[in-house]
Amino acid sequence: MNLSYPITYIKGISVQRAALLYTELGIKTCNDLLNFFPFRYIDKTQFYAIKDLQPNSSEVQIVGKITHVKSVAQKRGSRLVATFQDATGTMELVWFKGQKWIKDSLKVNEPYVVYGKLNHYNGSFSIPHPEMELVTEYKKKLQTKMQPVYPSTEKLTNSGVSNKLMRNYIQNLLQQVYDSIQESLSQEIIDDFKLMKKRDALLNVHFPQSQENLAKAQNRLKFEELFFIQLQLLRKKLINKAQIKGFVFENVGEVFNQFYTEKLPFELTNAQKRVVKEIRNDVSTGAQMNRLLQGDVGSGKTIVALLTMLLAIDNGFQATIMAPTEILANQHYTAVSELLSGMNIKVDILTGSVKTKKRREIHTSLEDGSLHILVGTHALLEDKVKFKNLGVAIIDEQHRFGVAQRAKLWTKNTLPPHILVMTATPIPRTLAMSVYGDLDISVIDELPPGRKEVKTVHRFDSNRLSVFKFMKDEIAKGRQIYIVYPLIEESEAMDYKDLMDGYESVSREFPSPKYQISIVHGKMKPADKDIEMQRFVNGETQIMVATTVIEVGVNVPNASVMIIESAERFGLSQLHQLRGRVGRGADQSYCILLSSYKLSEEAKTRLQTMVETTDGFKIAEVDLKLRGPGNLMGTQQSGVLNLKIADVVKDSKILVAARNTAISILQEDSTLSQEKNLPIKQAYTKMTKSSKIWSNIS
Ligand code: ADP
Ligand code: MG
């Protein structure tokens, strides 16, 4: 039987049932069913002695005798309690339903095998509604070993598709196809990593003969799953490199060198130098660059972007940089213009608020090539915006843009421009491998010298007065302060009230004219927001009260205190981004996390992590552990969410091994045409035919 056949080919599966399995579980073919894995196992391979029971044991199997049965009255009705004993100790078996019938059928002082979920209460163990069988009966039967338990849905259960039935279907299928299950890895890999054969792995993941075999089976299947994802991503990258031609920037010429020697206001960090080198290498190969630049807030990505744009200009091309908000675009524009002042390079900015007349000017100068660098927001993506020859497009803070928007930049040219995506959201290495495995990744893992670490503390709301005092001291030193409030859709009305209450109490504590306060929130008109923001940027106000709109990218070096209200309600990456708003100047900066006393364990971990470290990658690792990959920025479109058996967090070692294996195989045999790689090729071809290659950025 062919594994691509629909499951109706399996004994006992009717057309109706197949339809149900498809709508409920997405199982269509025999192969789907074979790869529908149990989420847990009932382990009946082991017997426990009562003295060895642990409060955290889940299901246990015990041999012993009932010594005594009694009815115990409780609030509503009664329960039946049997005292159960083996040579090592005593526990209870308990029934709440069917008591009469059970009481009559229980045999005192005869050995039973009991099985069930263990409860631990007040120092004693019990099993409610155990499965039980007399040892004499138990011995007559052929014993199954570990039993798989499959994920199910209410609809399936109600339609009579029990776990037992699923088990039967899969058992039937395995019996029919076991011999014809094809190996999908090369013998070389199997030997190198001492992996179980594919067919045995499938058999053992469904019907393991022991814990040890189960672990081996899972390991093999995880490796395989991650290996083929990596193979796909890496091949996509290879193919892109080979097929998507890109502009060649041959010259590192006048403009780049002039800027580097005369204008660069500081020495690049080693990390920045390395990344610039990586980019220079990319744009000289003839393939299109598709690079993700990760660098923590304040690590100095802007200068890397600028140098990249100068490379394009040196080779007769234009460059663009796109930011997610108007404020950010303005900051980039200002920074770039200042850095390039005195050089013969024309820079302009295009955002939604640019007037029509100015807009036309920009369009014209873009099309005739006299404009070298265009900074902007998504207004850049409008059809009317046409470049003469766009050589490189830089996208800041990538997670704010959708995939479709990024793709649109491509269509602005005959050849796609080189793409550099910059993000300040650190993604743990293993996750980046899965999500962005087909992109090249650069990391700036070093902050410019002289940066003082932001001192972070956690305070309860009741300490507010001392926080106010601290603020006054800092303002007296000439510093500026952010106070940030959470704002989420579900509790928007309440959140606005908190913000306004907070603003009022801050206004009372910091009265004008001595103190000036800005306020920015989502209900304000963009123009008003900009004015308020600008007042703070210019130093006209000392305090900025805001919702999370300031999260991304704003640069006010004189702001040295970040106060986060209801900090327990923010996610880790958000807290980290917010803290990144301070610590940008020469002064010691502070981050104060205010929270109530009522904190969940997770919230405690988040706040503690923030207090303990300022390393964005460490924070991202904790975030990944707390929330799983699905909630991290940028992972939404990725295949990591659809993993069947592997887990990018827990199985990171296997992931690294699988990726390295895929790399070395492709290096040696990029088309998988060597004899020994035939099993891989066949499996790969089948896989790519049935599933779309993971969608990815740009
Ligand atoms: P981000 O990576 O968050 O975009 P920026 O590019 O805005 O960071 O840089 C943050 C600040 O650090 C800027 O004021 C910038 O001028 C400064 N900076 C960047 N690189 C260096 C360096 N190598 N030495 C000193 N200061 C630097
Ligand atoms: Mg930036």
Side-chain angles (χ1 to χ4, degrees):
M1 182 159 93
N2 191 317
L3 281 174
S4 63
Y5 286 178
I7 49 175
T8 44
Y9 277 78
I10 299 165
K11 212 171 94 193
I13 302 189
S14 65
V15 174
Q16 289 87 338
R17 195 145 273 181
L20 194 64
L21 284 166
Y22 181 64
T23 51
E24 291 298 294
L25 301 171
I27 297 171
K28 196 172 191 175
T29 65
C30 292
N31 197 46
D32 293 340
L33 187 62
L34 212 49
N35 287 287
F36 181 67
F37 301 131
F39 72 101
R40 66 182 186 92
Y41 300 83
I42 296 171
D43 184 358
K44 291 195 172 175
T45 60
Q46 293 197 47
F47 288 93
Y48 284 80
I50 291 176
K51 77 166 172 35
D52 294 335
L53 293 176
Q54 300 293 328
N56 59 357
S57 309
S58 50
E59 275 113 2
V60 293
Q61 182 171 249
I62 306 165
V63 179
K65 288 176 185 169
I66 292 173
T67 55
H68 183 75
V69 184
K70 65 178 178 209
S71 242
V72 179
Q74 54 182 41
K75 234 184 207 164
R76 240 177 259 150
S78 66
R79 63 178 187 273
L80 185 67
V81 177
T83 307
F84 187 70
Q85 201 173 62
D86 71 1
T88 69
T90 305
M91 61 182 293
E92 290 181 341
L93 308 175
V94 186
W95 292 265
F96 302 94
K97 286 183 194 163
Q99 294 179 30
K100 164 112 187 40
W101 179 83
I102 288 163
K103 191 171 184 180
D104 292 345
S105 64
L106 288 179
K107 296 202 165 70
V108 174
N109 277 327
E110 289 204 36
Y112 272 103
V113 177
V114 308
Y115 176 88
K117 196 167 162 5
L118 192 66
N119 274 347
H120 181 248
Y121 186 70
N122 270 350
S124 64
F125 290 102
S126 65
I127 298 178
H129 290 266
E131 285 176 31
M132 26 204 319
E133 195 164 29
L134 286 166
V135 169
T136 47
E137 296 296 314
Y138 176 87
K139 283 192 170 148
K140 282 184 203 154
K141 281 199 202 150
L142 185 66
Q143 286 312 311
T144 48
K145 307 279 179 173
M146 292 175 70
Q147 287 178 11
V149 182
Y150 294 95
S152 188
T153 66
E154 209 179 319
K155 219 172 183 178
L156 279 170
T157 319
N158 290 344
S159 316
V161 184
S162 62
N163 191 57
K164 193 170 161 200
L165 210 53
M166 285 299 285
R167 239 156 49 199
N168 287 344
Y169 293 157
I170 294 174
Q171 195 161 17
N172 286 345
L173 174 63
L174 265 166
Q175 270 163 3
Q176 284 184 63
V177 300
Y178 177 80
D179 289 319
S180 55
I181 293 174
Q182 297 282 328
E183 183 49 65
S184 60
L185 296 174
S186 64
Q187 195 56 44
E188 198 174 43
I189 297 179
I190 292 176
D191 293 344
D192 279 357
F193 293 96
K194 299 192 175 57
L195 297 176
M196 204 178 232
K197 284 202 172 57
K198 170 128 183 174
R199 61 177 65 142
D200 293 329
L202 284 171
L203 182 63
N204 274 286
V205 82
H206 289 293
F207 304 103
Q209 301 297 304
S210 66
Q211 288 284 0
E212 197 194 348
N213 277 351
L214 173 61
K216 277 191 184 154
Q218 287 172 327
N219 183 57
R220 146 79 208 215
L221 295 169
K222 286 173 179 179
F223 184 96
E224 169 173 346
E225 181 168 46
L226 295 167
F227 172 78
F228 280 102
I229 290 175
Q230 289 302 321
L231 201 64
Q232 262 178 317
L233 290 168
L234 290 162
R235 271 192 48 95
K236 190 175 158 200
K237 185 158 127 185
L238 271 181
I239 291 168
N240 282 353
K241 287 235 159 100
Q243 293 183 349
I244 306 180
K245 295 271 171 288
F247 301 119
V248 180
F249 296 171
E250 273 168 354
N251 312 317
V252 178
E254 225 175 302
V255 178
F256 186 98
N257 285 332
Q258 189 197 350
F259 178 80
Y260 205 93
T261 49
E262 292 172 21
K263 301 279 174 182
L264 194 61
F266 38 67
E267 160 117 31
L268 292 185
T269 62
N270 286 329
Q272 286 170 320
K273 284 183 191 160
R274 187 186 63 232
V275 172
V276 171
K277 213 182 261 173
E278 285 166 349
I279 292 170
R280 267 168 66 169
N281 186 48
D282 281 355
V283 297
S284 66
T285 58
Q288 184 214 14
M289 171 169 80
N290 250 306
R291 189 168 280 278
L292 177 75
L293 173 56
Q294 286 194 56
D296 217 337
V297 279
S299 62
K301 296 184 291 295
T302 313
I303 200 78
V304 173
L306 179 57
L307 289 167
T308 307
M309 295 197 285
L310 296 184
L311 280 176
I313 294 167
D314 262 336
N315 289 273
F317 291 96
Q318 294 167 304
T320 187
I321 177 162
M322 183 162 77
T325 64
E326 192 142 346
I327 292 170
L328 260 180
N330 270 312
Q331 284 202 351
H332 278 314
Y333 175 67
T334 313
V336 169
S337 307
E338 270 170 22
L339 285 162
L340 294 178
S341 70
M343 292 181 69
N344 198 11
I345 296 175
K346 205 172 157 227
V347 187
D348 220 326
I349 177 165
L350 181 68
T351 65
S353 59
V354 170
K355 299 274 180 323
T356 319
K357 181 157 169 277
K358 175 73 189 161
R359 223 170 247 264
R360 287 213 192 97
E361 267 174 54
I362 291 176
H363 292 165
T364 316
S365 60
L366 262 190
E367 284 170 44
D368 68 21
S370 59
L371 182 57
H372 300 107
I373 295 178
L374 182 60
V375 182
T377 55
H378 44 262
L380 291 176
L381 298 172
E382 286 165 17
D383 292 331
K384 280 191 190 137
V385 181
K386 294 193 191 85
F387 292 81
K388 183 177 179 212
N389 55 0
L390 180 61
V392 60
I394 294 169
I395 303 168
D396 198 11
E397 309 290 352
Q398 55 90 16
H399 57 259
R400 298 271 156 157
F401 291 101
V403 175
Q405 283 177 317
R406 289 190 293 257
K408 209 166 168 197
L409 275 172
W410 279 52
T411 60
K412 294 204 169 283
N413 257 353
T414 41
L415 277 187
H418 294 298
I419 304 252
L420 180 68
V421 173
M422 305 197 296
T423 171
T425 312
I427 302 165
R429 213 173 91 82
T430 50
L431 187 61
M433 276 179 191
S434 313
V435 184
Y436 300 116
D438 63 336
L439 296 187
D440 293 302
I441 299 178
S442 290
V443 181
I444 304 185
D445 50 5
E446 183 186 356
L447 292 181
R451 250 347 125 66
K452 292 203 186 79
E453 200 158 276
V454 179
K455 281 196 183 138
T456 305
V457 293
H458 171 212
R459 294 282 180 268
F460 293 107
D461 292 333
S462 51
N463 293 115
R464 196 172 298 272
L465 282 182
S466 65
V467 173
F468 283 151
K469 165 86 173 58
F470 177 75
M471 288 168 65
K472 282 181 184 153
D473 293 346
E474 286 298 303
I475 293 174
K477 288 188 217 159
R479 306 286 112 77
Q480 289 169 283
I481 296 173
Y482 293 103
I483 307 178
V484 175
Y485 285 80
L487 178 67
I488 55 170
E489 250 170 69
E490 296 91 82
S491 56
E492 204 186 80
M494 282 286 287
D495 285 348
Y496 272 117
K497 190 174 174 308
D498 287 351
L499 173 77
M500 286 313 177
D501 289 352
Y503 176 67
E504 253 168 49
S505 91
V506 173
S507 304
R508 247 179 282 126
E509 196 64 35
F510 296 85
S512 120
K514 185 171 181 200
Y515 299 103
Q516 297 295 323
I517 306 171
S518 289
I519 179 164
V520 170
H521 59 75
K523 283 198 174 160
M524 291 163 70
K525 290 202 192 90
D528 295 340
K529 245 194 265 183
D530 273 4
I531 292 171
E532 285 289 300
M533 199 69 219
Q534 214 53 54
R535 289 198 327 134
F536 188 68
V537 173
N538 299 340
E540 291 161 36
T541 60
Q542 298 100 340
I543 301 175
M544 158 66 75
V545 175
T547 51
T548 46
V549 288
I550 58 161
E551 190 185 326
V552 178
V554 209
N555 193 22
V556 184
N558 191 49
S560 64
V561 182
M562 167 63 66
I563 297 170
I564 304 177
E565 293 275 354
S566 303
E568 72 271 31
R569 292 181 54 205
F570 289 86
L572 258 181
S573 72
Q574 242 182 339
L575 290 172
H576 179 63
Q577 290 286 322
L578 285 169
R579 180 168 59 185
R581 297 305 106 214
V582 296
R584 304 191 143 230
D587 312 303
Q588 176 62 55
S589 293
Y590 303 89
C591 175
I592 302 172
L593 306 166
L594 284 169
S595 83
S596 67
Y597 281 103
K598 255 175 55 196
L599 294 176
S600 68
E601 281 309 309
E602 214 191 289
K604 269 185 216 158
T605 307
R606 287 197 300 265
L607 298 179
Q608 203 180 336
T609 305
M610 287 296 293
V611 171
E612 277 167 10
T613 183
T614 52
D615 180 335
F617 282 91
K618 274 194 197 135
I619 289 170
E621 293 279 357
V622 176
D623 203 22
L624 185 59
K625 284 201 182 106
L626 288 180
R627 297 197 301 161
N631 293 308
L632 291 195
M633 297 283 197
T635 61
Q636 279 79 359
Q637 280 96 18
S638 136
V640 291
L641 300 183
N642 306 325
L643 291 179
K644 280 204 160 69
I645 188 161
D647 176 324
V648 281
V649 184
K650 294 191 190 112
D651 301 318
S652 58
K653 277 203 187 118
I654 306 179
L655 172 58
V656 173
R659 178 169 173 90
N660 289 339
T661 308
I663 289 173
S664 64
I665 285 178
L666 287 176
Q667 269 167 357
E668 198 188 283
D669 182 16
S670 66
T671 52
L672 299 173
S673 31
Q674 287 180 18
E675 177 73 28
K676 65 175 183 187
N677 291 329
L678 192 65
I680 300 174
K681 182 168 196 161
Q682 283 171 343
Y684 182 80
T685 313
K686 244 184 243 164
M687 220 170 283
T688 44
K689 235 186 256 162
S690 64
S691 77
K692 271 213 217 106
I693 285 197
W694 316 97
S695 62
N696 242 294
I697 71 167
S698 71

